[in-house]
Amino acid sequence: RTMAVATVNLHALTSWVGIARLVAVVLSCLAFSLVASTGHFGGPYGTWCMFTWCFCFTVTLLVLLLELLELYPLLPLSWDDFTSAFSMLAALMVFTSSVVFPATFISSPCSSSQCARQAVATTASCFCFLAYAVEVSLIRAKPGDISSFLSTVPGLLKVFEAYVACLIFSLLDEYNAKPGLMWCVAVYSICFIFTLLIIIFTVGRCLTYIPCPLEKMLVGYNFLALLMYLTATVLWPLYSFQGRSRPNPCGTNCKWNKHLGVTFLTIFNLIAYLVDLVYSTRMVFVRAR
C-alpha cells in the first residue's frame, strides 16, 4: 500500500500543465457528448470533428494517467517530445474542428434546442483549443534549450507543417492532367514524408542513428523545403485557376474552393518553413557558441 501511494504524482494534476490538460479533457468530452446527443454529425466534416474531440479526450486522459501513476518512463519513447508534439497537434485539430463544425452544421437563425447544443459544443471546442494552446506555451522549451527538440519552436513548427500538409491532401482534386499540379503534389508529399520522419525519429529516440548533426540537417532540409514550397506557391494557383472563374453557385464540395484552400495552405506552409529555417539557423549558431 505504501509503494502504491509513493508512485502517485499529484503534481501531474495540480501543476499549470496538468490543470490545462484537465480542462481540455472536460471540454473535449463536453463537445463530443453534446454533438452526439443531437445525432446530427454525419458526413466527412462531422465525422472529422467527432474523431478530433474523441481522440484528444482519450490521449489527453491517457497522458494524465501515465503521469499521475509515473508509468511514462516505462515507454520506449521520449516523453517530453511526445507530449509536446501531441499538444501542438491537438491544438491544431481542435482549432480546425472549431471552425469547420459551426460552418457546416449551424445555420441561422439558431432557435432549436439542437442548434443550441451545437452552439454550446462549438464554444466548448473553442475553449478546448485555448487549453491546448496554453499547454503548448507552458511546455515550450526556453531559448537555448534543445534537450527536447519537439518542444522548441522548430519542433512545434514541424508538427504544424505536417498537419497543414494533411489538410492539403484532404483538399486535393483534379491534378493528374497538368504537370505543374503534379509537381506541387510531389512537393507536398516529399516534404510531408521527411517532416513526419523527423517527428517519429525524435519521439522514438532514433536521432542517434542519423549520421550528421540534427541541427545542421534541419537547416539544409528546411532550405530545400522552402525552395520547393516556393515553386508550389507559384505553380499551384497558376495552373489551378488559369482560364477558370469561380462558378456560381459554388457549394461545399466546389472544386474551385478546394483549389483556393490548397493555395492558402501552401502559403501557410511556405511561411512556416521560412520561420523554421530562421529558428533552425539560430539554433546552429547558438549551439556553436
Side-chain angles (χ1 to χ4, degrees), residues 21 55 59 78-93 132 135-136 139 148-152 155-160 163 196 198-200 202-203:
R21 289 170 178 165
F55 171 75
V59 178
S78 174
W79 184 251
D80 291 338
D81 286 309
F82 170 75
T83 53
S84 299
F86 169 72
S87 60
M88 183 64 176
L89 177 63
L92 294 171
M93 292 176 67
Y132 281 117
E135 182 185 350
V136 171
I139 64 179
S148 174
F149 170 68
L150 291 182
S151 64
T152 63
L156 295 173
L157 284 171
K158 285 286 173 286
V159 180
F160 176 85
Y163 182 74
L196 186 62
I198 291 172
I199 296 173
I200 294 175
T202 304
V203 174

Side-chain angles (χ1 to χ4, degrees), residues 171 236-237 240-241 244 246 250 254-268:
L171 295 176
W236 181 266
S240 295
F241 304 115
R244 296 177 59 184
R246 188 175 189 273
C250 192
C254 178
K255 296 177 181 178
W256 198 93
N257 281 349
K258 289 183 178 180
H259 284 277
L260 182 64
V262 172
T263 301
F264 279 105
L265 291 172
T266 302
I267 296 173
F268 292 158

Side-chain angles (χ1 to χ4, degrees), residues 66-77:
L66 289 174
E67 291 204 346
L68 178 65
L69 302 177
E70 294 189 339
L71 297 175
Y72 63 90
L74 302 176
L75 300 177
L77 50 82

Side-chain angles (χ1 to χ4, degrees), residues 9 11 46 54 56 64 79 87 103 105 131 144-145 153 161 176 178 221 235 245 248 255 257 260 272 278 286 288:
N9 179 20
H11 183 69
C54 293
C56 294
L64 282 171
W79 184 251
S87 60
F105 293 96
D145 181 14
V153 173
E161 292 155 5
N176 294 325
K178 299 179 180 179
Y221 165 68
L235 293 178
S245 58
N248 189 18
K255 296 177 181 178
N257 281 349
L260 182 64
V278 172
V286 170

